[in-house]
Amino acid sequence: GLKWTDAVALLGAHTLGRGHSEFSGHHGTWVPNDRAAQVFDKRYYQELVSRAWSPRQVSIDPPLLDWTTGNPNTDRPKMMLNTDICLLYNIEESATCCTRTSIFDQNGRNRCESESDNECTRYDSDHPHWEASKAVMSYLGGSSQNDNNQPFYEAFKLAWFKATMNGMHDLKPVEDSC
């Protein structure tokens, strides 16, 4: 079966593509822009760790929440889902928080669009999600600002194999036919 490390590796695929409000209710990319969203790399983890993410109410009926950083009202916002944020932060206890309250813009304003006085809690080593937090940091390949994608690539390759091949022992090659 899959472990937390595998789930974290598979979620790294969020580095590709974007959410569209018409299809999922969530609008934005997990990385800085559409160009970066075309590259399969560890950028998803860099964004998760280095930015100030605040909750954003996307819809009231049905109730829908995601997380944004920077200006949420642009036509190309950056976003994370609860499933992304909960890899590092315990949002089960409080979803009304900001992931990094210590980040300020050039004008001295807090980067948290909301909840700038309530920082999200990171998991302790005795929490069941601790393995996920460790995996995020591992897939960064060292500090968050480097070009070492290898830990992520290796973990993704293994997790993808487990997720797609588990229980499939009698697969046969696809035959060409017209």
Side-chain angles (χ1 to χ4, degrees):
L2 296 179
K3 297 179 180 176
W4 270 112
T5 53
D6 301 316
V8 173
L10 293 172
L11 281 167
H14 276 166
T15 198
L16 296 172
R18 65 176 14 267
H20 193 289
S21 55
E22 184 179 341
F23 304 112
S24 67
H26 301 281
H27 183 65
T29 58
W30 286 264
V31 294
N33 54 53
D34 287 340
R35 186 172 189 80
Q38 296 174 21
V39 179
F40 188 69
D41 61 10
K42 68 174 185 174
R43 189 67 184 259
Y44 164 80
Y45 305 109
Q46 292 172 323
E47 296 297 312
L48 181 60
V49 168
S50 65
R51 296 207 184 263
W53 296 97
S54 298
R56 169 178 68 169
Q57 185 75 43
V58 179
S59 163
I60 294 172
D61 189 25
L64 196 55
L65 177 83
D66 62 19
W67 298 72
T68 190
T69 188
N71 183 353
N73 299 317
T74 67
D75 62 338
R76 300 279 190 226
K78 291 177 284 295
M79 63 129 193
M80 291 277 173
L81 302 174
N82 285 341
T83 52
D84 303 311
I85 297 295
C86 81
L87 298 177
L88 279 178
Y89 301 98
N90 190 347
I91 58 172
E92 291 174 14
E93 288 184 6
S94 174
T96 56
C97 57
C98 177
T99 62
R100 305 269 318 266
T101 58
S102 60
I103 301 176
F104 299 89
D105 67 16
Q106 64 272 17
N107 297 321
R109 289 186 304 242
N110 195 297
R111 290 278 184 181
C112 297
E113 291 295 315
S114 63
E115 307 303 331
S116 62
D117 59 344
N118 186 25
E119 188 157 333
C120 300
T121 306
R122 298 277 301 258
Y123 296 113
D124 292 326
S125 59
D126 61 344
H127 194 281
H129 292 172
W130 177 248
E131 185 181 353
S133 289
K134 286 192 328 185
V136 168
M137 302 314 285
S138 171
Y139 301 158
L140 286 172
S143 67
S144 65
Q145 300 302 319
N146 66 57
D147 294 328
N148 183 9
N149 287 294
Q150 210 55 38
F152 166 54
Y153 291 158
E154 291 300 320
F156 187 87
K157 180 171 70 173
L158 178 61
W160 184 259
F161 180 83
K162 284 182 181 180
T164 59
M165 300 302 286
N166 190 18
M168 299 297 178
H169 304 289
D170 60 348
L171 292 177
K172 297 183 179 28
V174 176
E175 295 181 20
D176 290 336
S177 64
C178 290

